Amino acid sequence: MVVAEVPKLASAAEYFFKMGVEGKRFRPTVLLLMATALNVSIPQPFPSEPVDALSKELRARQQCIAEITEMIHVASLLHDDVLDDADTRRGIGSLNFVMGNKLAVLSGDFLLSRACVALASLKNTEVVSLLAKVVEHLVTGETMQMTTTSEQRCSMEYYMQKTYYKTASLISNSCKAIALLAGQTAEVAILAYEYGRNLGLAYQLIDDVLDFTGTSASLGKGSLSDIRHGIITAPILFAMEEFPQLCAVVDQGFDDPANVDLALEYLGKSRGIQRTRELAMKHANVAAEAIDSLPESDDEDVRKSRRALVDLTHRVITRTK
């Protein structure tokens, strides 16, 4: 899907799909597991085609959602790296660093347009509008992060809304699309959506913790890239509730390294990290409950996939990178 006619664009668009830098492929994994987890027979009004052919075609369409989701995700990474002036990604030079901003922006646009073509080929208007909404959410979330008032910077509600737009919308709406393509009921589609939403929020909250702690439990061992870019995340927001004087430090910004140290000092004294982990666990548990609420099935593959989806909710919480 990501092959382009112009060689320069081709090598740029394929950059993060190559072996070794393809990332964790977290989203496609979730979506293909969700496809099997929802593979419960839905009564067909006119069983004309053999079931095998139907399920093969459905699987191909659901796999297409996984491909589209990964392309939208990678496009957003390319554009984010330009906006953040990043120089590395996945352990190698970022595309903008290696090939320049213009090509990185165009490659992101190209991946989005390829995702649109694939999406249109599914000929399902509800699914098209779900994933079009996701792209709008990615843009909205990024803009919310760039343009905050001092009041918004200190608001947990604003932060969670931004996190939904930037991280959780893609996985939640893609999970819902998987259910819709399978012809599932509205109730099941909502459970799939809720799984994705809560998994996505838990994932990001743990990311926020790891930015401070890295692989060790001790503070300041992470990359601290958020706070250095002036991005206030959940651990600091929770610390502010305990130490309101931290608000003044946040308002001054973090161009001065002394302010970063001061914020870390307050964070260390607070329960910020712990409360962020607890909030992540709460969302992970809600995600697991959504899977447990799906209609019962005796099919071993279905049950295995559901167990894997529940297992992912634990992995998201316990990961160290």
Side-chain angles (χ1 to χ4, degrees):
M1 272 195 195
V2 299
V3 175
E5 289 165 40
V6 182
K8 194 85 175 161
L9 183 60
S11 59
E14 292 165 24
Y15 193 71
F16 282 120
F17 292 100
K18 295 197 297 276
M19 284 289 290
V21 287
E22 71 280 2
K24 295 184 287 293
R25 298 265 168 106
F26 178 71
R27 291 160 190 79
T29 303
V30 169
L31 294 169
L32 294 177
L33 285 171
M34 184 62 77
T36 307
L38 300 180
N39 193 8
V40 282
S41 58
I42 297 149
Q44 299 291 339
F46 312 108
S48 49
E49 285 192 63
V51 173
D52 248 17
L54 272 178
S55 65
K56 262 210 179 77
E57 197 216 346
L58 171 60
R59 184 69 181 191
R61 288 162 66 80
Q62 288 172 322
Q63 185 174 323
C64 192
I65 293 287
E67 291 162 359
I68 289 163
T69 298
E70 192 65 2
M71 284 195 286
I72 292 174
H73 172 59
V74 171
S76 77
L77 298 183
L78 297 181
H79 286 171
D80 278 0
D81 284 348
V82 171
L83 292 173
D84 300 338
D85 208 11
D87 48 19
T88 60
R89 163 80 64 183
R90 292 179 179 170
I92 59 169
S94 59
L95 190 63
N96 49 306
F97 183 74
V98 174
M99 297 192 188
N101 281 345
K102 287 179 183 174
L103 204 62
V105 170
L106 291 171
S107 302
D109 291 346
F110 174 73
L111 290 177
L112 286 174
S113 62
R114 276 293 156 98
C116 288
V117 171
L119 198 47
S121 74
L122 295 172
K123 296 182 171 60
N124 182 316
T125 50
E126 199 176 349
V127 167
V128 169
S129 88
L130 271 186
L131 288 171
K133 194 63 145 171
V134 164
V135 177
E136 183 194 321
H137 284 170
L138 288 170
V139 175
T140 305
E142 194 60 41
T143 310
M144 281 174 78
Q145 184 165 291
M146 279 162 38
T147 56
T148 49
T149 64
S150 74
E151 198 179 338
Q152 288 167 337
R153 261 199 304 278
C154 300
S155 158
M156 191 68 178
E157 200 178 330
Y158 186 87
Y159 162 81
M160 288 303 280
Q161 186 63 56
K162 178 202 78 177
T163 298
Y164 170 71
Y165 286 150
K166 278 195 61 157
T167 308
S169 175
L170 178 58
I171 188 69
S172 57
N173 285 296
S174 303
C175 281
K176 187 177 181 180
I178 293 281
L180 292 177
L181 285 181
Q184 291 289 352
T185 61
E187 290 79 18
V188 169
I190 288 167
L191 289 172
Y193 169 86
E194 282 301 328
Y195 174 80
R197 187 178 86 88
N198 286 285
L199 187 74
L201 292 173
Y203 185 93
Q204 186 56 48
L205 287 163
I206 294 298
D207 247 19
D208 295 344
V209 167
L210 293 175
D211 197 58
F212 287 106
T213 63
T215 50
S216 74
S218 61
L219 211 53
K221 285 283 197 270
S223 68
L224 304 179
S225 76
D226 286 336
I227 198 161
R228 288 197 179 123
H229 284 103
I231 297 163
I232 304 305
T233 57
I236 295 285
L237 290 169
F238 280 131
M240 277 177 175
E241 287 179 22
E242 287 174 64
F243 299 101
Q245 56 270 48
L246 182 51
C247 282
V249 181
V250 167
D251 275 343
Q252 286 172 22
F254 293 101
D255 293 339
D256 181 353
N259 277 2
V260 175
D261 293 339
L262 196 52
L264 286 179
E265 196 183 315
Y266 279 119
L267 181 58
K269 287 191 288 197
S270 76
R271 292 183 61 250
I273 295 285
Q274 196 180 339
R275 286 179 68 189
T276 304
R277 280 194 183 278
E278 283 164 10
L279 182 59
M281 277 181 213
K282 196 177 100 179
H283 283 292
N285 290 335
V286 174
E289 281 161 22
I291 298 302
D292 292 335
S293 306
L294 290 170
E296 281 186 27
S297 169
D298 296 330
D299 185 299
E300 192 42 48
D301 283 340
V302 171
R303 293 165 77 126
K304 200 183 281 184
S305 291
R306 289 181 185 183
R307 281 197 299 273
L309 288 170
V310 170
D311 180 47
L312 270 180
T313 66
H314 304 306
R315 283 199 193 202
V316 157
I317 297 298
T318 54
R319 70 200 176 93
T320 56
K321 61 177 186 174

